């Protein structure tokens, strides 16, 4: 049972005409095609295709950044986790705004834009490669993106296809093909201009959908303070109805978890720090800083981006936690119509169903239409960004670097995008969901530890050297993989390599190590490697440094 | 002050999220037209500019 099933069930039960929903989605696709075509018409050269001509409007840039940042899992998946564990997750909203927008735009974005223009970089791997005057670094980063990004793309692709399958009542493989084809058309032909135009429209839909959801939720529960108070008063139910979660540190939905408990470590190390800081090193987000003409556009984008994150992610987490009040006092479960359930009980133990189920049970049917488009937008906007960055890594960074001067580079990049999409579709068909989900976690962990220290050094440390960056990336990737394969229980148990080699699910069982996100130790190790490596190796030429920092 | 929430750290998370957004809005508004491009060269006085122009014209002739 998935999100689409719950929404589709609601549509049929409430007497909603699913044809209307299908027609709305069809109109939506036509609008997307038009925006993609607009992008195609305005794409004349490589810079247009890879960086939207370095002249994106601040609204388009900010909405595109936000829409690529926030996927379906951020709204439905993490919203469901908030339904299970409560509003402590609002710290992640703070990190997303403070680090993911303010710090990213002002401290990373400005310099990335200026330096990217000075050295003529068109992609993230090319940026790092040119900054440290190393084709090897560029190829290495492109390879990491090519190897791991399709795993993440396939997760988003499968989610969108399942949704279309249920809503449009078509075969899953047809849904997968249609969904991938629609995104492929505007990414391949429209380039980053097409992607950003479509993202801006989708970001607007996401804001409308999530704000409607939050307002109606508070209205349904009797106002802001009344709703919070009702949820606070439910705290004794945790020990009574969720003894396992209580043992992990859960104390209620409006209080923080028990200090130094399993859930506290998950919230602080994996969600707040891992996800919150890790976003800075995402290549598909970093490349957007180079799409604007000047720092003025980034200043304007800070305003738009911070509002976007608060309204979308903040709404999802609030609604997720507050759904407990609705289900306990007024709501019903999925099938058995038993009153007095907690959200996670009503959703049959699957947190991914909490938000869709709440919408189905609590809100007027028209919200279903809006929320369906919101979910589709979140999936498509993230997917298109991933396709574009994977394709540019294959076409522009790998093929054009290894075979320079052979053919039209924009055409090669377009072929790379098509190849990246085909790989993602193939993975979506072949790999089991469990492996894909773990692969995604590995990609995020590796990205944060491997890219972030070097990215920071590229922007702020003139003394950073090529060897230091190589060492930092190697240590970051190595420490992340060791942590994920042998120490962090969630991944090590699922992948089974530690079990096969050592006969146990993790090497260190003493608390809290199985619950500490690998990011917590791989990041400092990567930073230390960068500093030591740079201090012990030959500096880049003064002429090159002056060119980069002008 | 807690808005019905159960403890200060959770309420603080909500307040900090709103505060970070307000910061973004105020910063974006104040710096709406501020660019990070290097400042343009200081304008020269009218006499010197005219003189320079004459010199360039002579050179071109």
């Amino acid at each position: 049972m998935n999100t689409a099933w719950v929404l589709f069930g609601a549509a049929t039960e409430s007497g909603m005409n699913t044809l209307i929903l299908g027609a709305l989605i069809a109109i939506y696709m036509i609008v997307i095609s038009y925006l993609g075509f607009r992008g195609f018409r305005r794409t004349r050269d490589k810079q247009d295709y890879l960086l939207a001509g370095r002249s994106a409007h601040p609204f388009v840039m900010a909405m595109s950044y936000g829409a690529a940042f926030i996927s379906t899992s951020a709204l439905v998946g993490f919203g469901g986790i908030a339904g299970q564990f409560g509003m402590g997750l609002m710290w992640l909203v703070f990190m997303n705004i403070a680090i993911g927008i303010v710090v990213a735009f002002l401290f990373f974005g400005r310099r990335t834009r200026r330096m990217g223009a000075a050295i003529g970089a068109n992609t993230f791997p090319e940026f790092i490669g040119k900054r440290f005057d190393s084709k090897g670094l560029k190829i290495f980063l492109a390879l990491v993106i090519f190897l791991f990004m399709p795993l993440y793309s396939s997760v988003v692709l499968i989610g969108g296809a399942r949704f279309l399958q249920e809503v449009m009542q078509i075969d899953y493989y047809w849904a997968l093909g249609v969904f991938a084809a629609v995104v492929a058309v505007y990414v391949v032909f429209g380039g980053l201009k097409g992607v950003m135009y479509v993202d801006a429209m989708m970001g607007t839909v996401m804001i409308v959908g999530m704000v409607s959801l939050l307002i109606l939720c508070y209205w349904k529960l009797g106002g802001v303070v009344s709703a919070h108070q009702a949820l606070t008063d439910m705290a004794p139910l945790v020990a009574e109805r969720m003894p396992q979660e209580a043992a992990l540190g859960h104390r209620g939905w409006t209080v923080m978890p028990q200090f130094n408990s399993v859930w506290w470590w998950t919230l602080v190390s994996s969600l707040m720090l891992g996800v919150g800081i890790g976003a800075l090193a995402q290549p598909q987000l970093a490349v957007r800083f180079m799409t604007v003409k000047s720092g003025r556009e980034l200043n304007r984008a800070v305003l738009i981006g911070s509002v976007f994150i608060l309204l979308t992610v903040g709404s999802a987490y609030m609604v997720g936690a507050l759904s407990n009040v609705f289900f306990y006092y007024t709501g019903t479960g999925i099938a058995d119509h038993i009153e007095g359930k907690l959200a996670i009980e009503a959703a049959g133990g699957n947190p991914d169903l909490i938000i869709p189920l709440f919408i189905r049970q609590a809100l007027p049917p028209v919200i279903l239409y809006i929320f369906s488009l919101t979910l589709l937008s979140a999936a498509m906007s993230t997917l298109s960004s991933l396709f574009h960055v994977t394709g540019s890594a294959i076409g522009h960074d790998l093929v054009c670097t290894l075979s320079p001067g052979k053919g039209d580079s924009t055409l090669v990049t377009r072929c790379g995008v098509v190849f990246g999409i085909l790989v993602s579709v193939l993975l979506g068909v072949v790999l089991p969901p469990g492996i894909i989900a773990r692969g995604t976690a590995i990609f995020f962990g590796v990205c944060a530890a491997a890219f972030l220290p070097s990215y920071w050094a590229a922007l702020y440390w003139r003394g950073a050297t090529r060897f230091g960056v190589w060492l930092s990336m190697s240590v970051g990737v190595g420490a992340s993989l060791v942590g994920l394969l042998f120490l962090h229980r969630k991944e090590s148990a699922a992948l089974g390599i530690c079990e096969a080699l050592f006969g146990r699910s993790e090497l260190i069982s003493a608390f809290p190590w199985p619950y500490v996100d690998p990011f917590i130790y791989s990041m400092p190790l990567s930073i230390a490697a960068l500093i030591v490596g740079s201090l012990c190796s030959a500096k880049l030429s003064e002429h090159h440094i002056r060119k980069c920092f002008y | 002050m807690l808005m019905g929430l159960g403890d200060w750290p959770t309420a603080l998370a909500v307040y900090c999220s709103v505060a970070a957004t307000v910061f973004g809005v105020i910063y974006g508004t104040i710096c709406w037209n501020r660019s990070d491009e290097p400042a343009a060269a200081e304008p020269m006085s009218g006499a010197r500019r005219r003189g320079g122009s004459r010199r360039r014209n002579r050179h071109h002739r």
Side-chain angles (χ1 to χ4, degrees):
Chain A
M1 193 148 44
N2 59 26
T3 303
W5 184 89
V6 174
L7 286 174
F8 182 67
T12 50
E13 275 179 18
S14 62
M16 257 175 68
N17 189 343
T18 47
L19 273 178
I20 296 177
L21 191 56
L24 269 179
I25 291 174
I27 294 168
Y28 194 62
M29 296 291 181
I30 291 169
V31 175
I32 288 167
S33 307
Y34 167 71
L35 291 171
F37 180 68
R38 241 175 104 94
F40 172 69
R41 288 283 300 275
R42 293 181 178 194
T43 298
R44 292 181 190 88
D45 55 23
K46 186 173 70 177
Q47 195 163 282
D48 284 340
Y49 192 80
L50 294 170
L51 287 178
R54 294 191 198 270
S55 59
H57 189 277
F59 176 79
V60 173
M61 184 271 177
M63 295 300 268
S64 172
Y65 183 96
F69 191 178
I70 304 305
S71 66
T72 318
S73 74
L75 300 180
V76 176
F78 280 40
I81 290 176
Q84 194 175 5
F85 288 102
M87 291 186 186
L89 215 60
M90 286 302 289
W91 280 111
L92 180 56
V93 179
F94 168 69
M95 293 295 283
N96 282 339
I97 300 168
I99 307 290
I101 297 290
V102 177
V103 170
F105 282 36
L106 300 185
F107 293 96
F108 283 75
R110 281 177 176 173
R111 288 208 175 203
T112 304
R113 190 201 65 75
R114 275 211 314 252
M115 196 179 280
I119 59 181
N122 291 306
T123 62
F124 184 73
E126 191 170 55
F127 177 82
I128 297 291
K130 284 194 169 178
R131 163 64 180 84
F132 292 104
D133 198 18
S134 164
K135 276 189 183 176
L137 271 175
K138 177 180 171 183
I139 291 169
F140 173 74
L141 288 180
L143 274 174
V144 170
I145 290 171
F146 170 53
L147 290 176
F148 291 102
M149 194 76 93
L151 287 173
Y152 180 36
S153 308
S154 63
V155 177
V156 184
L157 186 61
I158 289 170
R162 290 280 180 211
F163 184 79
L164 277 186
Q165 176 196 7
E166 299 295 345
V167 171
M168 307 285 278
Q169 287 292 287
I170 54 176
D171 178 67
Y172 168 69
Y173 293 105
W174 270 104
L176 191 76
V178 168
F179 193 58
V182 169
V183 180
V185 167
Y186 74 82
V187 177
V188 171
F189 292 102
L192 197 56
K193 282 193 174 181
V195 169
M196 291 177 79
Y197 292 157
V198 176
D199 281 358
M201 187 270 285
M202 290 177 168
T204 310
V205 171
M206 286 163 72
I207 287 181
V208 172
M210 296 314 294
V211 169
S212 313
L213 189 59
L214 184 67
I215 291 172
L216 285 168
C217 176
Y218 277 127
W219 170 74
K220 190 89 183 173
L221 301 178
V224 176
V225 177
S226 306
H228 293 172
Q229 192 58 55
L231 190 60
T232 301
D233 294 342
M234 287 173 65
L237 291 170
V238 173
E240 187 186 312
R241 306 280 283 272
M242 304 167 74
Q244 281 185 329
E245 283 81 358
L248 296 177
H250 192 1
R251 299 188 302 155
W253 294 271
T254 59
V255 292
M256 286 292 282
Q258 180 77 40
F259 175 70
N260 200 28
S261 63
V262 170
W263 176 235
W264 186 89
W265 274 103
T266 306
L267 178 68
V268 173
S269 74
S270 291
L271 299 178
M272 276 176 65
L273 299 177
V275 178
I277 297 175
L280 287 172
Q282 294 293 306
Q284 75 274 20
L285 301 181
V287 79
R288 274 162 173 70
F289 299 138
M290 295 192 276
T291 63
V292 291
K293 201 163 50 185
S294 73
R296 186 174 53 196
E297 279 74 18
L298 286 172
N299 291 337
R300 295 175 179 182
V302 169
L303 187 158
I304 301 158
S306 51
V307 172
F308 176 87
I309 298 293
L310 182 73
L311 295 183
T312 52
V313 189
S315 297
Y317 300 171
M318 280 293 192
V319 169
L322 289 170
S323 66
N324 283 287
V325 179
F326 171 79
F327 286 119
Y328 189 72
Y329 289 108
T330 58
T332 56
I334 282 178
D336 47 8
H337 297 276
I338 299 170
E339 290 190 22
K341 287 196 166 191
L342 302 178
I344 191 68
E345 292 170 340
N350 183 355
D352 284 349
L353 297 183
I354 289 177
I355 295 273
L357 189 65
F358 173 72
I359 292 167
R360 170 182 170 174
Q361 301 282 354
L363 304 179
V366 70
I367 289 295
L368 281 177
Y369 290 130
I370 301 172
F371 194 68
S372 298
L373 294 183
T374 302
L375 285 190
L376 209 57
S377 300
M380 288 180 89
S381 54
T382 303
L383 194 60
S384 59
S385 306
L386 297 177
F387 280 166
H388 186 269
V389 83
T390 309
S392 56
I394 299 168
H396 180 77
D397 297 321
L398 280 178
V399 177
C400 290
T401 306
L402 295 172
S403 315
K406 287 186 181 169
D408 175 10
S409 63
T410 307
L411 182 66
V412 173
T413 306
R414 282 193 164 119
C415 293
V417 173
V418 172
F419 183 69
I421 292 170
L422 290 176
V423 171
S424 301
V425 172
L426 195 68
L427 287 174
V429 173
V430 172
L431 289 180
I435 294 292
I436 294 174
R438 295 282 75 81
T440 306
I442 291 172
F443 170 73
F444 277 106
V446 167
C447 257
F451 297 164
L452 190 53
S454 303
Y455 184 27
W456 173 84
L459 299 175
Y460 283 98
W461 190 19
R462 291 169 191 240
T465 67
R466 201 177 302 145
F467 174 73
V469 170
W470 270 114
L471 193 64
S472 166
M473 287 192 180
S474 310
V475 169
V477 171
S480 293
L481 289 179
V482 167
L484 290 161
L485 297 178
F486 300 108
L487 297 173
H488 196 234
R489 184 176 288 171
K490 204 173 170 188
E491 279 76 35
S492 64
L495 294 171
I497 294 173
C498 191
E499 182 75 41
L501 291 176
F502 303 105
R504 48 188 172 163
S505 61
E506 69 270 339
L507 285 181
I508 305 174
S509 301
F511 185 83
W513 289 106
Y515 307 101
V516 176
D517 196 276
F519 172 80
I520 298 294
Y521 41 83
S522 56
M523 178 79 160
L525 286 173
S526 180
I527 293 170
L530 175 73
I531 295 169
V532 172
S534 295
L535 292 177
C536 300
S537 56
K539 302 277 179 270
L540 289 160
S541 75
E542 192 56 38
H543 171 71
H544 179 75
I545 293 294
R546 267 205 304 272
K547 182 182 154 193
C548 295
F549 286 87
Y550 70 99
Chain B
M1 289 298 281
L2 291 180
M3 291 192 309
L5 298 173
D7 67 356
W8 268 108
T10 309
L12 200 60
V14 178
Y15 285 132
C16 284
S17 302
V18 174
T21 306
V22 170
F23 171 81
V25 169
I26 293 172
Y27 181 87
T29 308
I30 290 173
C31 302
W32 189 259
N33 282 319
R34 190 178 298 168
S35 181
D36 61 346
E37 296 301 322
E42 207 171 287
M44 293 181 291
S45 70
R48 286 192 63 184
R49 201 161 49 232
R50 279 194 297 276
S53 169
R54 275 199 295 275
R55 272 198 298 278
R56 271 199 304 277
N57 289 341
R58 272 202 300 274
H59 179 75
H60 282 300
R61 278 199 292 270

